[in-house]
Amino acid sequence: MGLVTMKEILDQAELEGYGVGAFSVANMEMVMGAIAAAEELRSPLILQIAEVRLTHSPLHLMGPLMVHAAQNATVPVAVHFDHGLTQEKIKQALDLGFTSVMFDGSHYKLAENIEKTCEIVTLARTYGATVEAEIGQVGGSEDGSVDIEMQVTNTSEAKQFAAQTQIDALAIAIGNAHGNYQTEPQLRFDRLIEIDQQVKQPLVLHGGSGIKSADFRKCIRHGIRKINVATASFRQIIQRINQNVKRTPYQDYFSYTDDVVQSMKENVMYHMKIFGSEHIS
Ligand code: 13P
């Protein structure tokens, strides 16, 4: 199995009607935990890192690590560059062997977003890589540095955008937001259903941390195929470490790193079971 494009993973999910988790990683232990979860559950996996995270986890180090881990996995794994903002970093990810990139032009006006996304599609096609793009604006921000106001995706704009850019997956905003939800998210299923009827490409839900299992399943029934999860993994790891330190401070470094791997693994498995992607590979 090993390294595959995100398109291959999403096409299969579309055929069989399940969702696939795209889990953000920041270091080797998180990569190991995610791969271990996917292999144990026989689930496809999308490993991703966002451009805004690169100050903590540099791309020239994380990229080869993610690609090698995917190549050696016994289940299909796509390596995805999340929320690419600049052509320079997107190209660097492609040069490192990422099999998928997201261009996030959601803050541009429609025509400009289409134009810039088309440039990325042309670039990515020369690598045989998958392209995800966004229309409407998911609230919050990937690393919490700015609080972007949510703008629910307009259905006819989504249809035009998907047709004109020929992207492989479309991220939409239906009441979802990055980071911790202040109040329980109220997803706009009416809008999701409309978009799903008008857009042929698989749909992507960002801001997966804190959405109820029943809502995840309903999203998957209506065309969401890729679900991004970051905050829930970071939160689970920190909680485990804090609990352990409070009980008995670590005596050796490797007990600590083993706990990072294990808590990432548990969070990834938890989500894969909800998304229905286990026992697929
Ligand atoms: P959360 O941090 O809310 O899980 O969102 C992750 C995400 O959408 C990454 O693009």
Side-chain angles (χ1 to χ4, degrees), residues 32-98:
M32 288 166 66
I35 299 260
E39 290 186 335
E40 189 164 320
L41 291 183
R42 308 309 305 162
S43 167
L45 167 72
I46 301 164
L47 277 181
Q48 65 181 17
I49 187 162
E51 185 163 340
V52 286
R53 301 283 187 190
L54 301 181
T55 44
H56 295 287
S57 312
L59 189 56
H60 70 283
L61 300 176
M62 283 303 293
L65 171 66
M66 293 163 74
V67 170
H68 279 286
Q71 282 167 340
N72 288 294
T74 61
V75 289
V77 180
V79 176
H80 175 72
F81 191 57
D82 188 28
H83 288 284
L85 299 168
T86 60
Q87 208 175 109
E88 178 211 337
K89 280 292 168 199
I90 290 175
K91 183 168 183 318
Q92 190 187 345
L94 290 166
D95 285 336
L96 287 168
F98 280 54

Side-chain angles (χ1 to χ4, degrees), residues 24 48 82-83 142 177-179 181 205-209 228-232:
S24 300
Q48 65 181 17
D82 188 28
H83 288 284
E142 217 283 335
H178 293 110
Y181 288 94
L205 186 75
H206 283 239
S209 302
N228 287 10
V229 177
T231 303

Side-chain angles (χ1 to χ4, degrees), residues 15-176:
L15 267 178
E16 298 183 30
Y18 56 87
V20 181
F23 297 93
S24 300
V25 290
N27 54 38
M28 182 180 76
E29 288 76 18
M30 293 182 79
V31 172
M32 288 166 66
I35 299 260
E39 290 186 335
E40 189 164 320
L41 291 183
R42 308 309 305 162
S43 167
L45 167 72
I46 301 164
L47 277 181
Q48 65 181 17
I49 187 162
E51 185 163 340
V52 286
R53 301 283 187 190
L54 301 181
T55 44
H56 295 287
S57 312
L59 189 56
H60 70 283
L61 300 176
M62 283 303 293
L65 171 66
M66 293 163 74
V67 170
H68 279 286
Q71 282 167 340
N72 288 294
T74 61
V75 289
V77 180
V79 176
H80 175 72
F81 191 57
D82 188 28
H83 288 284
L85 299 168
T86 60
Q87 208 175 109
E88 178 211 337
K89 280 292 168 199
I90 290 175
K91 183 168 183 318
Q92 190 187 345
L94 290 166
D95 285 336
L96 287 168
F98 280 54
T99 55
S100 177
V101 292
M102 176 190 186
F103 172 65
D104 182 358
S106 58
H107 47 291
Y108 294 114
K109 294 239 178 318
L110 181 65
E112 204 173 352
N113 191 1
I114 290 175
E115 190 188 315
K116 289 186 190 300
T117 302
C118 284
E119 285 171 21
I120 300 298
V121 170
T122 305
L123 172 72
R125 293 289 178 252
T126 64
Y127 293 80
T130 305
V131 180
E132 173 187 336
E134 179 173 323
I135 180 121
Q137 278 197 322
V138 174
S141 62
E142 217 283 335
D143 64 344
S145 56
V146 276
D147 190 14
I148 295 166
E149 196 183 334
M150 184 191 308
Q151 280 173 29
V152 173
T153 303
N154 171 292
T155 306
S156 60
E157 285 189 3
K159 184 179 179 189
Q160 182 191 346
F161 183 84
Q164 290 186 2
T165 56
Q166 288 299 304
I167 41 137
D168 304 295
L170 182 66
I172 56 169
I174 51 166
N176 47 319

Side-chain angles (χ1 to χ4, degrees), residues 215-261:
D215 283 356
F216 276 136
R217 294 196 184 100
K218 194 165 175 186
C219 283
I220 291 165
R221 282 202 297 281
H222 296 292
I224 295 285
R225 296 287 163 245
K226 171 179 184 260
I227 301 166
N228 287 10
V229 177
T231 303
S233 303
F234 295 122
R235 207 166 43 207
Q236 176 131 341
I237 293 168
I238 288 294
Q239 271 171 6
R240 162 87 64 106
I241 301 299
N242 283 343
Q243 266 168 16
N244 287 356
V245 167
K246 224 189 254 169
R247 244 190 349 243
T248 339
Y250 289 100
Q251 297 303 314
D252 75 299
Y253 176 75
F254 296 103
S255 309
Y256 158 77
T257 55
D258 286 350
D259 278 345
V260 177
V261 174

